[in-house]
Amino acid sequence: MTHDRSASPLIFGGAAQSPRAALPVLPPLALYIHIPWCVRKCPYCDFNSHTASPVLPEEEYVDALLADLDQDLHAVYGRELTSIFFGGGTPSLFSAAALGRLLKGVEQRIPFAHDIEITLEANPGTFEQEKFVAYRALGINRLSIGIQSFQQAKLEALGRIHNGDEAVRAAGMARQAGFDNFNLDLMHGLPDQSLEDALSDLRQAIALKPTHLSWYQLTLEPNTVFWNQPPTLPEDDTLWDIQEAGQALLAEHGYAQYEVSAYAQPGRPARHNLNYWSFGDFIGIGAGAHGKLSHPDGRIVRTWKTRLPKDYLNPAKSFQAGEKALTNDEMPFEFLMNALRLTEGVESRLYPERTGLSLESLAEARREAEQSGLLQVEPTRLAATERGQLFLNDLLQKFLT
């Protein structure tokens, strides 16, 4: 399948603004690859995912992904890829052969760092576990397994198609396949969930000894089944008890919280996500994928791709649906919205390095945030206090202009 598509995007937010300083060094570069199909759409999911047909258009989609990547190569500027993340949807629905051809094509276009992290999202179903060995042989060196819960009633309420036994086996099979680095994705605040239910899930996950745990509260998002037909969720007091007890349990077992909902063993945070949160660059390819790309002249551009798979695969349509150059006024919020999710924040020097704006331009809002007890009084770091982490939206509002 060939694609002869215009690379001309729709331009939004292109108002004239004062010049921004050239970036002395471009940030690290990552690649996000979106594979939008799932066996079934979960009722809580607001991601760009679509129910898969019996036969997936693997070959056509890989061709499209590589053609999409070709149109973003102008923004590489000689950098190598530090990480790749296959997200979805359910990327592990694709065969190892298709993913292998894709990875080979990517590496022919952009060199890989010698220690590149390549993560694949996978579900615990037996069908996908059988592919783990083949995925590892391709150079994929990290899995993110979507467990959500180990309890059958909770899995059914969430619309998940695996069972608790499969979830337990998936971790073992990942390790047997050679994955010494894997994440388990777990939710709390589930329909009718008690404190003991939530801690039981967490204890089971910890017993499987993942290197990383994503542990986060279920939220009801617009345009989902749960939004239109909300289930009965735990009371706020129970949610608070779950959060406090769960964080203590994770810390007790050596999982340090380094981001709002991310916990890792020493030396095992997700490098791909750290790049997002430290305002690094990432190319996004695939249906509905988003990207953020810096240019040496100081321009920082967010991009988004055509959302529906049928349109993304249509040669008559552009891969890119739109782009927006960030203005100077938007930059503080955009940078800190990511950086302040990290429990330790970031070094202050990253702000001028990655935005082209002076640290002094933050001074007034920074002082107000510090006086409010939301931002740490630390000249060399930009980091929220414990209170600031609890009221992150309030903290970020201070940097809106």
Side-chain angles (χ1 to χ4, degrees), residues 69-138:
L69 180 59
D70 283 337
Q71 294 189 356
D72 284 335
L73 291 180
H74 67 279
V76 172
Y77 298 110
R79 288 175 288 180
E80 60 187 15
L81 287 177
T82 59
S83 64
I84 298 173
F85 194 100
F86 289 93
T90 308
S92 53
L93 291 180
F94 266 37
S95 68
L99 296 184
R101 184 165 77 87
L102 175 55
L103 282 172
K104 183 177 180 181
V106 171
E107 190 170 17
Q108 287 170 344
R109 290 161 170 81
I110 312 176
F112 289 4
H114 70 91
D115 60 346
I116 188 171
E117 175 191 271
I118 305 178
T119 301
L120 179 82
E121 287 187 337
N123 278 338
T126 301
F127 169 72
E128 290 163 59
Q129 292 175 38
E130 292 169 352
K131 302 178 185 177
F132 285 0
V133 172
Y135 290 148
R136 186 67 190 90
L138 297 177

Side-chain angles (χ1 to χ4, degrees), residues 64-209:
L65 288 168
L66 292 174
D68 186 0
L69 180 59
D70 283 337
Q71 294 189 356
D72 284 335
L73 291 180
H74 67 279
V76 172
Y77 298 110
R79 288 175 288 180
E80 60 187 15
L81 287 177
T82 59
S83 64
I84 298 173
F85 194 100
F86 289 93
T90 308
S92 53
L93 291 180
F94 266 37
S95 68
L99 296 184
R101 184 165 77 87
L102 175 55
L103 282 172
K104 183 177 180 181
V106 171
E107 190 170 17
Q108 287 170 344
R109 290 161 170 81
I110 312 176
F112 289 4
H114 70 91
D115 60 346
I116 188 171
E117 175 191 271
I118 305 178
T119 301
L120 179 82
E121 287 187 337
N123 278 338
T126 301
F127 169 72
E128 290 163 59
Q129 292 175 38
E130 292 169 352
K131 302 178 185 177
F132 285 0
V133 172
Y135 290 148
R136 186 67 190 90
L138 297 177
I140 295 169
N141 52 24
R142 185 175 180 273
L143 289 180
S144 181
I145 304 172
I147 302 290
Q148 314 315 349
S149 177
F150 294 94
Q151 297 165 32
Q152 192 58 35
K154 298 294 184 280
L155 290 169
E156 289 174 3
L158 293 172
R160 304 296 287 173
I161 60 174
H162 66 272
N163 59 45
D165 289 341
E166 286 178 316
V168 171
R169 284 199 301 270
M173 291 189 73
R175 195 172 278 109
Q176 290 170 19
F179 288 95
D180 63 355
N181 189 15
F182 65 92
N183 170 64
L184 296 183
D185 214 59
L186 201 65
M187 298 169 75
H188 61 86
L190 305 181
D192 299 311
Q193 188 178 48
S194 66
L195 171 61
E196 188 48 45
D197 285 340
L199 293 181
S200 174
D201 269 348
L202 202 48
R203 290 189 193 101
Q204 176 63 83
I206 290 169
L208 297 174
K209 296 182 169 25

Side-chain angles (χ1 to χ4, degrees), residues 112-367:
F112 289 4
H114 70 91
D115 60 346
I116 188 171
E117 175 191 271
I118 305 178
T119 301
L120 179 82
E121 287 187 337
N123 278 338
T126 301
F127 169 72
E128 290 163 59
Q129 292 175 38
E130 292 169 352
K131 302 178 185 177
F132 285 0
V133 172
Y135 290 148
R136 186 67 190 90
L138 297 177
I140 295 169
N141 52 24
R142 185 175 180 273
L143 289 180
S144 181
I145 304 172
I147 302 290
Q148 314 315 349
S149 177
F150 294 94
Q151 297 165 32
Q152 192 58 35
K154 298 294 184 280
L155 290 169
E156 289 174 3
L158 293 172
R160 304 296 287 173
I161 60 174
H162 66 272
N163 59 45
D165 289 341
E166 286 178 316
V168 171
R169 284 199 301 270
M173 291 189 73
R175 195 172 278 109
Q176 290 170 19
F179 288 95
D180 63 355
N181 189 15
F182 65 92
N183 170 64
L184 296 183
D185 214 59
L186 201 65
M187 298 169 75
H188 61 86
L190 305 181
D192 299 311
Q193 188 178 48
S194 66
L195 171 61
E196 188 48 45
D197 285 340
L199 293 181
S200 174
D201 269 348
L202 202 48
R203 290 189 193 101
Q204 176 63 83
I206 290 169
L208 297 174
K209 296 182 169 25
T211 48
H212 189 285
L213 270 163
S214 296
W215 186 64
Y216 54 96
Q217 184 181 322
L218 170 66
T219 55
L220 305 185
E221 302 292 347
N223 303 313
T224 65
V225 173
F226 274 4
W227 180 264
N228 295 314
Q229 303 169 32
T232 302
L233 299 182
E235 299 289 338
D236 286 348
D237 286 349
T238 301
L239 292 173
W240 182 254
D241 290 344
I242 290 171
Q243 186 74 33
E244 281 198 319
Q247 288 181 327
L249 184 63
L250 286 161
E252 178 187 336
H253 287 85
Y255 290 90
Q257 183 181 16
Y258 69 95
E259 188 266 343
V260 170
S261 58
Y263 304 78
Q265 291 181 343
R268 294 296 199 169
R271 278 189 280 149
H272 187 83
N273 289 343
L274 279 176
N275 187 53
Y276 286 155
W277 296 320
S278 57
F279 216 54
D281 277 1
F282 55 99
I283 295 172
I285 59 173
H290 286 240
K292 176 250 170 187
L293 296 167
S294 304
H295 298 270
D297 62 6
R299 285 179 302 121
I300 297 175
V301 179
R302 292 203 179 275
T303 64
W304 54 97
K305 302 298 171 68
T306 297
R307 183 175 173 85
L308 294 177
K310 66 180 180 63
D311 291 336
Y312 186 82
L313 289 169
N314 182 350
K317 294 182 179 290
S318 174
F319 291 121
Q320 187 154 303
E323 72 171 27
K324 181 185 187 304
L326 298 180
T327 66
N328 293 359
D329 286 346
E330 292 167 328
M331 203 65 70
F333 183 86
E334 288 278 338
F335 180 91
L336 293 168
M337 176 178 63
N338 293 283
L340 295 181
R341 287 181 64 93
L342 294 168
T343 54
E344 295 185 1
V346 297
E347 293 182 49
S348 300
R349 63 172 178 80
L350 274 189
Y351 184 75
E353 281 183 16
R354 299 199 173 171
T355 67
L357 299 174
S358 71
L359 201 56
E360 289 70 32
S361 65
L362 291 179
E364 185 177 342
R366 189 177 183 179
R367 192 179 309 110

